[in-house]
């Protein structure tokens, strides 16, 4: 009874005065530039609920008693700084300054074409041409800015299935919780507004090196929650929906038990 009562208290803190059920409430959650304490706490609750549910699914034995309860590392969560990260990049954050454009293209050229060995010859050629200008003292013209936008949009379309213009015509809310996750600030700021395959690569590298990354964040970038994994380097509208449904399902199970 106490466990049930305290869970309801926690749920009340998350939802505030909302009378919606958990599924409807999760559906309504949106990222806001003005602040996102509810989103942050909900993503934290998703991680805790996931660990609790995994613990409860283990058969009990004396040999496994010490491993039975998977615990969230609150000490690291409290001492480190965290961002709410958009899994799929936000078009409005497209680099605007010359130095930012150069850095963005260099990172994506290195990781996409050298590390991941992705073959996109036309885009690679356009990036090389743009980098020649961006590395020089030549002032950027309107034509150069348009060329960068074209490359950015082409890569966006390549790894999500649609570019900025198409996105306006599909039922995608880039700010809904299915496209959000918790990420260490230092890791997030290290690659800026990168595309999904670059973010995925950096999260995997951080996890391998022992850097703390919340379980559900790693799961999202590994597409653990996706019903159909056609390409691990793409993050599509279906992945966003599946991730949101997984958050809703885990919290529903946790708070109903």
């Amino acid at each position: 009874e106490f466990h049930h009562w305290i869970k309801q208290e926690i749920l009340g803190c998350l939802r505030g005065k909302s009378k919606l059920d958990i599924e409807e409430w999760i559906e309504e959650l949106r990222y806001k530039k003005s602040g996102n304490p509810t989103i942050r706490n909900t993503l934290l609750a998703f991680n805790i609920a996931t660990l609790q549910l995994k613990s409860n699914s283990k058969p009990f034995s004396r040999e496994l008693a010490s491993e039975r309860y998977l615990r969230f590392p609150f000490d690291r969560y409290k001492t480190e700084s965290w961002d709410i990260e958009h899994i799929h990049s936000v078009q409005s954050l497209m680099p605007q300054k010359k130095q930012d454009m150069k850095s963005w293209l260099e990172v994506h050229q290195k990781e996409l074409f050298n590390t991941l060995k992705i073959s996109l010859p036309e885009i690679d050629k356009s990036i090389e041409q743009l980098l020649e200008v961006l590395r020089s003292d030549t002032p950027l013209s309107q034509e150069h800015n348009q060329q960068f936008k074209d490359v950015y949009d082409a890569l966006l379309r390549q790894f999500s299935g649609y570019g900025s213009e198409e996105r306006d015509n599909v039922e995608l809310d880039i700010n809904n919780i299915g496209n959000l996750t918790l990420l260490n600030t230092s890791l997030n700021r290290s690659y800026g507004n990168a595309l999904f395959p670059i973010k995925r690569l950096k999260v995997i590298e951080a996890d391998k090196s022992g850097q703390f990354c919340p379980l559900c964040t790693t799961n999202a970038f590994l597409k653990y929650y996706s019903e159909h994994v056609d390409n691990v380097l793409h993050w599509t509208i279906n992945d966003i929906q599946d991730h949101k449904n997984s958050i809703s399902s885990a919290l529903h199970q946790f708070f109903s038990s």
Side-chain angles (χ1 to χ4, degrees):
E1 289 178 354
F2 174 72
H3 284 173
H4 179 74
W5 173 82
I6 202 167
K7 283 182 179 180
Q8 294 311 303
E9 291 293 303
I10 295 169
L11 181 58
C13 291
L14 287 175
R15 291 197 302 188
K17 296 180 180 180
S18 174
K19 299 299 182 182
L20 298 173
D21 62 30
I22 290 177
E23 289 80 3
E24 293 173 325
W25 166 65
I26 291 294
E27 183 70 37
E28 294 293 321
L29 285 178
R30 295 290 184 276
Y31 177 89
K32 299 176 182 177
K33 291 183 179 180
S34 58
N36 298 275
T38 301
I39 292 283
R40 183 183 302 275
N41 289 333
T42 301
L43 291 171
L44 173 60
F46 177 41
N47 277 274
I48 297 167
T50 298
L51 290 172
Q52 288 278 307
L53 293 168
K54 284 174 70 69
S55 293
N56 293 340
S57 67
K58 284 187 175 183
F60 182 78
S61 69
R62 291 186 181 277
E63 292 74 17
L64 294 175
S66 62
E67 302 176 5
R68 178 168 172 75
Y69 296 104
L70 302 172
R71 298 183 181 276
F72 185 83
F74 285 101
D75 55 336
R76 299 192 67 173
Y77 181 78
K78 293 295 287 186
T79 56
E80 297 178 18
S81 181
W82 299 89
D83 287 336
I84 297 173
E85 168 70 350
H86 285 82
I87 299 174
H88 175 66
S89 299
V90 182
Q91 171 70 15
S92 62
L93 297 180
M94 183 181 74
Q96 303 294 327
K97 297 179 181 179
K98 184 177 181 180
Q99 182 59 38
D100 294 337
M101 290 179 180
K102 181 175 81 71
S103 298
W104 194 90
L105 287 176
E106 286 176 339
V107 167
H108 284 75
Q109 183 186 56
K110 175 187 175 183
E111 303 296 357
L112 291 178
F113 306 127
N114 297 337
T115 304
L116 295 174
K117 307 296 183 184
I118 294 173
S119 178
L120 298 169
E122 290 299 319
I123 295 178
D124 192 15
K125 181 179 178 181
S126 296
I127 290 177
E128 277 292 344
Q129 293 172 346
L130 269 171
L131 283 174
E132 286 185 19
V133 176
L134 293 169
R135 288 167 177 162
S136 70
D137 295 328
T138 305
L140 290 184
S141 65
Q142 186 174 351
E143 181 181 356
H144 292 140
N145 286 321
Q146 184 59 48
Q147 287 175 342
F148 179 83
K149 183 181 183 302
D150 290 343
V151 169
Y152 184 93
D153 208 49
L155 286 172
L156 197 72
R157 185 179 297 108
Q158 177 69 32
F159 294 106
S160 67
Y162 44 82
S164 57
E165 294 178 0
E166 290 92 340
R167 196 173 68 200
D168 293 335
N169 298 319
V170 298
E171 294 181 6
L172 170 67
D173 186 346
I174 208 73
N175 288 319
N176 88 45
I177 197 169
N179 192 46
L180 303 173
T181 193
L182 289 174
L183 200 59
N184 183 287
T185 298
S186 61
L187 176 60
N188 188 20
R189 305 289 166 83
S190 69
Y191 56 71
N193 190 37
L195 297 174
F196 176 74
I198 308 299
K199 294 178 181 180
R200 181 179 184 275
L201 180 65
K202 296 301 181 183
V203 166
I204 292 173
E205 289 176 350
D207 192 51
K208 285 182 178 179
S209 69
Q211 183 173 342
F212 170 52
C213 191
L215 174 63
C216 295
T217 297
T218 304
N219 284 349
F221 280 100
L222 293 177
K223 301 187 75 167
Y224 177 85
Y225 304 114
S226 300
E227 293 287 339
H228 303 285
V229 185
D230 299 322
N231 192 322
V232 295
L233 299 181
H234 290 198
W235 184 258
T236 69
I237 185 172
N238 291 328
D239 297 314
I240 291 173
Q241 185 66 39
D242 291 340
H243 183 216
K244 180 179 64 179
N245 290 342
S246 296
I247 295 172
S248 178
S249 175
L251 293 182
H252 179 79
Q253 291 182 63
F254 178 72
F255 287 114
S256 299
S257 62

